[in-house]
Amino acid sequence: MALASLYRRVLPSPPAFEFSSPQGKQLFSESLEGGNMEGFFRLISYYQTQSEPAYCGLASLAMVLNALAIDPGRKWKGPWRWFDDSMLDCCEPLEKIQVEGISFGKLACLAHCNGAEVRAFRTNESTLEDFRRFVALCTASEDFHLITSYHRAHFNQTGTGHFSPIGGYHAGRDMVLILDVARFKYPPHWVPLKLLWEAMDTIDEATGHHRGFMMISRPNRGPSVLYTMSCRHASWSTIATYLVHDVPLILKSKDMKDVQEVLSVVVTSLPNNFSEFIKWVAEVRRQDEGNATLSEEEKGRLSIKGEVLKQVQGTELFEHVTRWLASESANVKSLGDNDTLQEIGANVCCQGARMLTGNLGFTDSTSCKKENVKLWETISKDPVTVVSGTIISDGSQQRVDMLVPSSPRERNGFCGVDVSNFSGMHPSVGDVLTVLLLSLPYHTWS
């Protein structure tokens, strides 16, 4: 039997005031004068209606990501890169979200995976005053936006759990503007902040957890100075635990006379998957059609990485590491430095492509292939190495580049790279070991 069609709902007022009503206009005017509508204009420029009844979380996030001018790094339609709710599927399949919606925790994860800085608070982990403070902060800035997860029943509205961004705040009346992404149902409206808190302070029956709010912004951290690595790689947690927790215990339990003995003990006790950890130390980017060059920002970043790499190689510790790796006691092959840059690049490019497309697992129809190794000049005229690769999955393909800071040095027994291919060397085991040892907490050595 066909369902009856619906055209909008009447907004229950009070407790809400429609944005375009006389009361709503007055609240907007006074809030604008009070300085708490600064984020509104960014949000309203990218205000969208959720494309599916259960896509409120995805539409809210797409709206905020576009308002923050975060580049999705992948195409929407034609040549255009743009966030749309139909693209946000890396944490949960769209088919599942279309039926069940998305949880508060999964939406926060989704925001992080798509390049945003996220601070998420459930109501049992926060207070009304905290929420009011964050609302005031975000509505007074273009750099932060709030997405709330609440239950509609507290506003006498039909429906249950819902997500929408906050567009403004009236401090005198203590009311917030909800930019409801279900515009087919209710228009944007003002509600009392305390009532919104009560609507958030409810249990999501699907998860058993409280609802809440999340503050989303552009990442304020700069690109990594030397390397970019993925904490999703399986070896990361193992290596991190070994370096931070195991190494101090190992060094404390043994009587060592010099640096070479220290290195021998530390390196020979490395976990078995350390070679995979080294291979993943690289920066991977998407490659759009026709994009065969590095941006000025990328060139500058690689120049900095190359310079820092040279400084690392100028340390006394690097000399000790190099000497140890060249010694008979060092099992270099087991550390993975016997692979060529092309072989490492093919592996890393494929892993990177799977991450960038949200496809973290192989299927029978997935294949990877390496393309080539290229040398480009950076701002400082030093060459950088770029390895290009392609992943083909379910009939579609994604090209990626692995950007490698080059650092020319004399060829030695543990580089394992044919210098006839290119003049710069990729970061070796010696580089990586030196950086990791330099970054260990002080208590490791004390």
Side-chain angles (χ1 to χ4, degrees):
M1 184 175 69
L3 295 174
S5 63
L6 297 170
Y7 179 69
R8 306 180 65 179
R9 293 279 193 188
V10 176
L11 180 70
S13 179
F17 294 112
E18 187 173 339
F19 179 64
S20 60
S21 68
Q23 300 96 321
K25 292 177 181 178
Q26 182 178 359
L27 287 168
F28 173 80
S29 178
E30 293 172 355
S31 299
L32 184 62
E33 186 176 347
N36 286 112
M37 296 298 296
E38 294 301 311
F40 169 81
F41 297 98
R42 291 278 188 184
L43 289 170
I44 205 66
S45 298
Y46 305 100
Y47 196 5
Q48 68 181 74
T49 303
Q50 60 192 79
S51 60
E52 294 286 344
Y55 277 12
C56 56
L58 303 187
S60 298
L61 181 57
M63 178 177 161
V64 167
L65 293 174
N66 287 325
L68 291 169
I70 294 176
D71 188 340
R74 61 188 184 277
K75 295 176 184 176
W76 166 57
K77 293 182 181 179
W80 300 105
R81 299 196 299 272
W82 184 255
F83 279 110
D84 182 73
D85 55 12
S86 62
M87 298 167 57
L88 300 174
D89 60 351
C90 64
C91 293
E92 197 84 294
L94 289 178
E95 295 79 10
K96 183 177 180 181
I97 299 175
Q98 190 171 348
V99 176
E100 304 175 6
I102 190 168
S103 68
F104 180 83
K106 286 289 179 64
L107 188 66
C109 175
L110 195 57
H112 178 76
C113 290
N114 282 277
E117 191 82 27
V118 186
R119 296 184 64 185
F121 304 89
R122 298 185 188 275
T123 53
N124 61 324
E125 304 166 337
S126 184
T127 66
L128 172 61
E129 288 305 316
D130 290 334
F131 178 54
R132 183 177 287 111
R133 178 167 54 87
F134 279 113
V135 167
L137 171 67
C138 292
T139 55
S141 170
E142 295 182 341
D143 302 324
F144 308 91
H145 298 293
L146 277 184
I147 293 178
T148 58
S149 170
Y150 59 95
H151 199 291
R152 284 192 182 274
H154 284 256
F155 305 133
N156 299 323
Q157 299 173 2
T158 62
T160 54
H162 190 56
F163 289 96
S164 279
I166 298 296
Y169 175 54
H170 192 294
R173 298 277 300 276
D174 199 29
M175 298 188 75
V176 294
L177 174 62
I178 295 179
L179 297 178
D180 198 328
V181 291
R183 293 193 289 178
F184 52 84
K185 186 175 184 179
Y186 294 117
H189 47 274
W190 294 90
V191 297
L193 182 144
K194 186 175 185 296
L195 188 60
L196 175 57
W197 171 264
E198 293 172 358
M200 292 191 301
D201 193 23
T202 53
I203 301 296
D204 181 356
E205 294 181 358
T207 64
H209 296 297
H210 284 74
R211 296 181 170 90
F213 63 97
M214 60 188 75
M215 184 173 72
I216 300 178
S217 60
R218 289 178 62 90
N220 55 13
R221 57 186 182 275
S224 65
V225 176
L226 188 58
Y227 303 113
T228 301
M229 65 177 66
S230 171
C231 294
R232 289 185 181 182
H233 193 267
S235 64
W236 167 254
S237 60
T238 305
I239 303 303
T241 300
Y242 171 74
L243 291 173
V244 176
H245 299 291
D246 297 345
V247 168
L249 296 177
I250 293 173
L251 295 181
K252 188 176 181 180
S253 64
K254 295 182 178 293
D255 182 21
M256 287 159 288
K257 301 175 182 178
D258 55 32
V259 176
Q260 294 299 305
E261 287 192 30
V262 171
L263 291 175
S264 179
V265 170
V266 170
V267 179
T268 54
S269 302
L270 285 167
N272 294 330
N273 57 355
F274 182 70
S275 61
E276 293 301 315
F277 176 77
I278 290 180
K279 290 178 183 179
W280 185 247
V281 179
E283 179 176 352
V284 179
R285 69 167 190 178
R286 287 185 179 87
Q287 183 186 117
D288 285 329
E289 294 178 8
N291 181 17
T293 61
L294 292 177
S295 69
E296 292 303 309
E297 189 272 338
E298 288 171 326
K299 291 178 182 178
R301 188 165 71 245
L302 285 172
S303 289
I304 293 173
K305 291 181 179 182
E307 179 59 34
V308 173
L309 199 56
K310 292 178 185 177
Q311 293 181 21
V312 168
Q313 293 164 10
T315 63
E316 185 177 351
L317 178 60
F318 180 77
E319 294 180 8
H320 285 293
V321 170
T322 302
R323 193 177 303 116
W324 183 84
L325 286 170
S327 68
E328 295 182 358
S329 61
N331 185 2
V332 176
K333 185 175 181 180
S334 67
L335 296 179
D337 212 27
N338 56 309
D339 291 338
T340 66
L341 177 60
Q342 294 95 323
E343 292 169 327
I344 295 173
N347 183 28
V348 171
C349 284
C350 287
Q351 292 184 61
R354 294 204 307 276
M355 276 193 62
L356 294 172
T357 56
N359 179 18
L360 299 180
F362 278 119
T363 64
D364 293 337
S365 59
T366 301
S367 63
C368 299
K369 62 179 181 179
K370 64 183 179 183
E371 294 292 335
N372 53 19
V373 177
K374 297 175 275 188
L375 270 180
W376 283 331
E377 285 191 346
T378 62
I379 295 174
S380 63
K381 303 302 181 183
D382 292 329
V384 298
T385 307
V386 179
V387 181
S388 296
T390 303
I391 182 172
I392 302 173
S393 179
D394 298 325
S396 62
Q397 67 178 28
Q398 171 69 59
R399 291 179 57 83
V400 294
D401 290 330
M402 183 179 81
L403 311 182
V404 184
S406 296
S407 180
R409 56 177 176 265
E410 293 183 6
R411 186 175 181 181
N412 54 45
F414 63 88
C415 284
V417 181
D418 186 358
V419 293
S420 64
N421 290 335
F422 43 86
S423 61
M425 297 297 182
H426 69 288
S428 69
V429 169
D431 299 320
V432 176
L433 281 177
T434 303
V435 171
L436 290 176
L437 292 171
L438 285 171
S439 63
L440 285 176
Y442 176 77
H443 72 265
T444 298
W445 308 116
S446 62

